[in-house]
Amino acid sequence: MTAGHTSYAEDFQAVQATLPGAGVPWLQQLRTAAMESFLDSGFPTPRTEDWKYTDLRSLTRRHYTPASRPRPDSITVPADAWWQDELQHRLVFIDGHFMPELCPLGPLLSGVTITSLARVLEQQPELLEHRLGHNTDLEQPGFNAFNTAFMRDGAYIRLGAGAVLEQPVHLLFIATGTNASLRPVRNMIVAGAHSHATVIESYVALNDAAGLTSAVTEISLETGAHIEHYKLEEESASASHIAGIYVTQDRDSRFDSHNIAQGGQLVRNDLQVALNGPGAATALNGLTITRGRQHVDNHTRVDHNAAQACSDEWYRGILDDRSRAVFNGRIVVHANAQQTVSHQHNHNLLLSGDAEVDAKPQLEINADDVQCTHGCTVGQLDEEALFYFRSRGVDATMARNLLVYAFAADVLERIRLQPVRRMLEQRLAGRFMETEVLDSLRDRLSG
Amino acid sequence: MNIAAGEMLAITGLQVAVEGKTILNSIDLKVRAGELHAIMGPNGSGKSTFAQVLAGRETYEVLQGSARFLGQDLLDLPPEERARRGLFLAFQYPVEIPGVSNIYFLKAALNAVRRHRGVDELDAMDFISLVKEKLAAMQMNEDLLYRSVNEGFSGGEKKRNEILQMMVLEPVLTILDETDSGLDIDALKVVADGVNSMRSPERAFIVVTHYQRLLNYIEPDYVHVLSGGRIARSGGPELAIELEQRGYGWLEPGEGAVP
Ligand SMILES: Nc1ncnc2c1ncn2[C@@H]1O[C@H](COP(=O)(O)OP(=O)(O)OP(=O)(O)O)[C@@H](O)[C@H]1O
Ligand SMILES: [Mg+2]
């Protein structure tokens, strides 16, 4: 129970009627129940096992008020937030509000819906009635309940059976708000049988926008569907970002996740994947880069609920200054999940003596015919490698930067979407090295 | 001896400790351009310590003495500066660098050295043809260029890779630390040919080895024995043959003179 969280009851009263789908009884019930649950539990405290390493005081001692819709003409989207021109499918949200004025939707294939969640809640709420909230983790009601109570908008993507999107769908979330602004985001992706799409959620800030982003994304993959999901988090160094991605997978489906956290003061990502059908496969790729006093907490959980499913997890952290990262990777192999193949790797690089990592792999294996491995390391830059570079004439700073870059390389190499990979390389380069070096690094491939 | 007479390296009274333990007591050595010096000595006698100190490894603490390289105080320079001025160490244990390709490593090194020499960086085409030429000389497989530096290389491939770097960087003073250890007969020949191809009146070499065999291919001007923290004996190529027959037992630490 957190003192002060009850004040959100008033905000809820105030905005309830203005939220999309306010007149829809089941939705109203869902929100009210969520609010009650939240008022009951409050935000997690250090006594909550899953939040032990993440101090929420900076968040709980503030009060956040749902941000109002900005005027579109008051916004200039930073050029590099687009990361690729001429995309057919892009949804832009400012402070949690859908802004079609900034980027109209392109024409769609038949069998494909890409729109704002609010529109669906207003116009076809029945599409969401038995879906909304079904993937979220009910053991962790605090933030999810908070999000469900206040959710306003986000993306709704529905791929009919066999639909294949050639181009990625970009969901761009821009924060402009003040210290006190709350930006709820709620996304829903439903991938019909054998459909395929790539979805990018990117979070950026204008003018060091602070405040709180509360984001929940629910993704359902039906038989044989394939979703490649990118989460690129680059909020300002004073923002809080609490997000959950909840995935369910049917038989032979494939979910690839790339979770890149670079911004934010206080960041939490819950990524949960339930492998419910035989032959389902997931690859979870993660890169966390922190400095200053940033705190980034990644909690991943994979449930092997069916036989012959695979999970492959690669998370890396690069921490500088006094920053802190948490990695908690839980893999649960349930009793019937024979012939599970599961690998987890978590490696962390501390660039400063004051940086800290809490890394905890958690494997619970209840089946006997399984192949599971995990490895976890926390280390510093390899002094021998540094000296090797220097002994060949490369100066210490550049050597250091190259080694940092190399540490991230295997995560970057797994990113198939070239523009995203290039953008990330550029950002990393900006952080750790000159672009000139980056260009020649890239030569190694064409070399 | 002055610089005009071709003195490249002058070491006097060098004393070195690691973790509080003195490894080298008092080393004196002079190397002139064009010369090749072999250093032999028992395991643990400090040969690698000596080599690493010259290259600038900071884990070793210089307690006393001096080292001048081309008329400059060497010990004051950071490692990269030494390399740019033409000093090269082939490591006894070459370092693996996951995530950095061998070709990029070579390029970064060559560019750093060329910038220091005031010449333009090579363009991509010229660079690649230079590297391929040296690679062929070292009889190395081209895919080693695109793999991470030394990662998963066999012992022999690592050693060849050191010589490849030397050939690309064209140093004036090369220190080889047991580059011959762990090489098969053919590889030894390839490495020796690589070194011989670089020998010239302007260049000098210090070759640390345990085996006279290498010195059949790379003929030394001087052979020194490091023992008891100092150069216990110096002589010509015949000293290596004598060591091969008699071992190190007959040498009292501190015996013998420095040329
Ligand atoms: N970093 C270090 N920390 C502690 N001791 C060290 C370190 N480096 C070297 N030594 C010690 O210094 C001594 C000399 O080691 P060095 O590697 O220079 O010997 P070497 O002559 O090259 O031997 P070898 O022929 O086996 O290669 C050894 O006793 C070694 O254990
Ligand atoms: Mg040695």
Side-chain angles (χ1 to χ4, degrees), chain B residues 44 46-49 92-93 177-178 208 210:
Chain B
K47 302 180 299 297
S48 294
T49 302
Q92 181 175 2
Y93 304 108
D177 190 358
E178 291 199 33
V208 174
H210 284 295

Side-chain angles (χ1 to χ4, degrees), chain A residues 251-327:
Chain A
R251 171 186 285 272
D252 296 326
S253 63
R254 165 154 205 99
F255 177 69
D256 297 320
S257 158
H258 303 273
N259 179 12
I260 316 289
Q262 292 193 77
Q265 154 63 43
L266 172 65
V267 176
R268 163 83 171 212
N269 287 304
D270 277 280
L271 173 54
Q272 304 198 357
V273 180
L275 300 167
N276 295 335
T282 185
L284 310 180
N285 202 15
L287 182 62
T288 295
I289 301 166
T290 57
R291 62 180 160 188
R293 289 182 164 270
Q294 284 181 286
H295 179 108
V296 176
D297 177 345
N298 283 305
H299 263 64
T300 66
R301 174 175 175 153
V302 178
D303 279 278
H304 282 263
N305 293 322
Q308 293 157 348
C310 292
S311 61
D312 196 12
E313 186 165 5
W314 296 81
Y315 265 68
R316 284 189 182 252
I318 301 171
L319 290 84
D320 205 349
D321 303 326
R322 309 182 63 84
S323 64
R324 219 173 145 183
V326 179
F327 173 78

Side-chain angles (χ1 to χ4, degrees), chain A residues 226-442:
Chain A
H226 179 192
I227 293 287
E228 194 165 331
H229 183 265
Y230 291 80
K231 160 115 195 262
L232 311 173
E233 183 276 308
E234 291 177 72
E235 298 227 34
S236 90
S238 38
S240 295
H241 178 98
I242 310 286
I245 298 172
Y246 301 93
V247 185
T248 57
Q249 291 189 241
D250 289 351
R251 171 186 285 272
D252 296 326
S253 63
R254 165 154 205 99
F255 177 69
D256 297 320
S257 158
H258 303 273
N259 179 12
I260 316 289
Q262 292 193 77
Q265 154 63 43
L266 172 65
V267 176
R268 163 83 171 212
N269 287 304
D270 277 280
L271 173 54
Q272 304 198 357
V273 180
L275 300 167
N276 295 335
T282 185
L284 310 180
N285 202 15
L287 182 62
T288 295
I289 301 166
T290 57
R291 62 180 160 188
R293 289 182 164 270
Q294 284 181 286
H295 179 108
V296 176
D297 177 345
N298 283 305
H299 263 64
T300 66
R301 174 175 175 153
V302 178
D303 279 278
H304 282 263
N305 293 322
Q308 293 157 348
C310 292
S311 61
D312 196 12
E313 186 165 5
W314 296 81
Y315 265 68
R316 284 189 182 252
I318 301 171
L319 290 84
D320 205 349
D321 303 326
R322 309 182 63 84
S323 64
R324 219 173 145 183
V326 179
F327 173 78
N328 190 291
R330 191 161 166 207
I331 311 271
V332 187
V333 180
H334 294 271
N336 56 335
Q338 298 298 355
Q339 291 162 309
T340 286
V341 178
S342 170
H343 302 292
Q344 183 187 78
H345 312 258
N346 173 234
H347 301 294
N348 300 286
L349 178 62
L350 304 181
L351 298 177
S352 132
D354 297 319
E356 214 179 305
V357 172
D358 292 293
K360 193 167 158 203
Q362 276 182 290
L363 268 68
E364 295 169 36
I365 301 173
N366 304 305
D368 43 28
D369 178 16
V370 300
Q371 234 191 77
C372 295
T373 61
H374 71 101
C376 176
T377 59
V378 179
Q380 276 126 27
L381 277 186
D382 180 355
E383 287 296 327
E384 302 238 352
L386 264 180
F387 178 63
Y388 197 50
F389 263 115
R390 296 179 73 190
S391 78
R392 300 300 182 246
V394 178
D395 69 65
T397 309
M398 178 158 157
R400 191 180 135 98
N401 291 345
L402 283 168
L403 289 174
V404 171
Y405 196 85
F407 178 81
D410 77 339
V411 170
L412 294 177
E413 274 160 21
R414 250 175 252 112
I415 292 180
R416 286 198 311 118
L417 208 53
Q418 290 308 310
V420 169
R421 180 169 158 182
R422 270 201 298 281
M423 180 208 66
L424 269 174
E425 285 176 339
Q426 220 84 56
R427 299 271 157 91
L428 267 173
R431 204 142 175 176
F432 295 112
M433 68 174 82
E434 313 111 61
T435 9
E436 164 212 343
V437 176
L438 180 69
D439 289 339
S440 44
L441 253 179
R442 224 179 272 116

